[in-house]
């Protein structure tokens, strides 16, 4: 399963992100970019950790413990996901530590 | 000159010229159910005129929308009405086959050409109630509105669902263009005309799979994704659409249906979900 799936939704709108959590998976609708972004469980956890106070490595360490994974195997995946969220302009800061809008 | 007026969720031939095209159009629109309770607020009107070159122009308020010959003109009118009706629909709508079961409604969102109509026909023959083979229309509180219409089935589809080619059997209509035949759902099984059918019980993603059909559970968020991905009017209120698909998906289960043989898939769905029980809102074939 891919960690993220984005669907374009044309609109003019507000700046606030709309979040819908269902069975651990999160949908974020961004009125500014007119996109709905679907995050699976691990991507949702990553999103939740991006509070502006943690580096990519620190987020990877938290997720490694939470999902019982080897940190070396997930660090690059976490950074890649955060880069994708950056590209979708869902993060406020493009450099770590990154924070949700 | 032929004028055909469509009202919400129904279509009626208002005036039919006495020529071949007129008879074909009248035949085509007889396949559509006329709803006595329809509101004729702003009927859609298409004017059909035959030029000296033998071709038929179908004209709406938007101008000439198609130029075609014979029965194709009737289908073009129906297609145009369908597009216009769905465009006017103020409820959230998704490209989907929609079937009624004992415990609620099944929604199978999918793009055109993925076999929605064929699977719907097969399910009708299994005893499911027909709600639509085109659109899942959902009110804000999640209730499903019926959108019945004739099913356009290719020869392969008719064979796959076991519809006989014998015209005396009464199993099929006689409207045929490019190998596709318009089949009234009433000729295949039960049609649900309830003003608000039961809530969506399951969202089922369809995909091709060789061999026996396979039904596997998906995360409910995937059901929400499929509904939004196949919606065609979410742009009117995108934030509301995202919220609505989650409300629908939250109350439903989500599945992946791998299928090759539509009849086998319909049998699998019937064994898993059970078929429709009778109620006063169902029309049955005579």
């Amino acid at each position: 399963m891919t960690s993220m799936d984005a669907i374009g939704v044309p609109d003019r709108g507000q700046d606030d992100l709309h979040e819908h959590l269902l069975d651990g998976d999160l949908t974020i609708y961004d009125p500014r970019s007119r996109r709905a972004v679907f995050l699976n469980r691990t991507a949702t956890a990553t999103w939740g950790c991006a509070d502006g106070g943690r580096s990519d490595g620190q987020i990877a360490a938290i997720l490694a413990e939470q999902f019982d994974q080897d940190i070396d195997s997930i660090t690059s995946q976490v950074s890649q996901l955060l880069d994708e969220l950056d590209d979708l302009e869902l993060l406020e800061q493009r450099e770590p530590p990154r924070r949700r809008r | 000159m032929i004028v055909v007026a469509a009202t919400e969720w129904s279509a009626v031939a208002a005036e039919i010229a006495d020529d071949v095209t007129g008879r074909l159009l009248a035949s085509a629109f007889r396949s559509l159910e006329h709803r006595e309770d329809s509101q004729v607020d702003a009927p859609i009107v298409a004017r059909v005129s035959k030029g000296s070159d033998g071709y038929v122009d179908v004209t709406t308020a938007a101008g000439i929308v198609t130029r075609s010959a014979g029965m194709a003109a009737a289908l073009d009118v129906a297609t145009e009405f369908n597009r216009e009706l769905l465009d006017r629909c103020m409820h959230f709508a998704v490209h989907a086959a929609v079937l009624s079961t004992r415990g609620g409604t099944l929604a199978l969102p999918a793009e055109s050409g993925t076999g929605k109509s064929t699977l719907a026909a097969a399910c009708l023959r299994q005893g499911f109630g027909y709600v639509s083979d085109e659109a899942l229309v959902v009110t804000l509180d999640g209730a499903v509105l019926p959108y019945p219409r004739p099913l356009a089935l290719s020869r392969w589809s008719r064979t796959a669902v076991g519809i006989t080619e014998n015209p005396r059997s009464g199993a099929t209509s006689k409207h045929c263009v490019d190998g596709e035949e318009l089949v009234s759902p009433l000729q295949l099984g039960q049609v649900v005309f309830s003003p608000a059918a039961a809530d969506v019980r399951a969202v089922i993603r369809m995909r091709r799979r060789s061999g026996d059909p396979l039904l596997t559970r998906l995360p409910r968020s995937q059901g929400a994704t499929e509904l939004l991905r196949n919606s065609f009017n979410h742009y009117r209120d995108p934030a509301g659409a995202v919220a609505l698909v989650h409300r629908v998906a939250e109350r439903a289960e989500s599945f992946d249906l791998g299928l090759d043989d539509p009849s086998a898939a319909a049998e699998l769905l019937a064994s898993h979900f059970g078929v429709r029980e009778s109620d006063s809102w169902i029309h049955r074939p005579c």
Side-chain angles (χ1 to χ4, degrees), chain A residues 1 5-11 14 18 20-23 25-27 29 36 38-39, chain B residues 219-222 224-225 228-229 234-239 242-246 249-250:
Chain A
M1 178 190 289
D5 191 3
I7 297 176
V9 181
D11 184 32
Q14 322 134 50
H18 301 221
H20 302 273
L21 187 65
L22 191 54
D23 296 341
D25 300 333
L26 184 70
T27 301
Y29 172 66
F38 297 86
L39 305 180
Chain B
R220 291 185 296 175
S221 58
Q222 193 67 47
T225 306
L228 194 61
R229 191 192 303 283
H234 56 271
Y235 61 87
R236 288 188 179 143
D237 175 18
V242 173
L244 180 56
V245 298
H246 281 82
E250 193 169 25

Side-chain angles (χ1 to χ4, degrees), chain B residues 4-56:
Chain B
V4 186
T7 62
E8 191 174 12
W9 313 122
S10 72
V12 290
E15 181 186 325
I16 300 296
D18 185 23
D19 64 8
V20 174
T21 305
R23 287 197 296 277
L24 288 168
L25 278 166
S27 297
F29 281 95
R30 268 200 294 274
S31 301
L32 298 174
E33 282 298 312
H34 175 58
R35 291 276 306 278
E36 295 297 332
D37 58 345
S38 296
Q39 299 297 313
V40 192
D41 291 333
I44 303 163
V45 175
R47 290 179 168 78
V48 185
S49 55
K50 200 168 190 175
S52 56
D53 56 3
Y55 280 80
V56 174

Side-chain angles (χ1 to χ4, degrees), chain A residues 3-4 77 79-91 98:
Chain A
S3 61
M4 188 170 69
Q77 294 175 51
S79 289
Q80 184 183 339
L81 173 62
L82 289 167
D83 286 343
E84 290 177 36
L85 294 172
D86 256 347
D87 292 342
L88 292 167
E89 299 180 341
L90 292 173
L91 299 174
R98 302 187 254 205

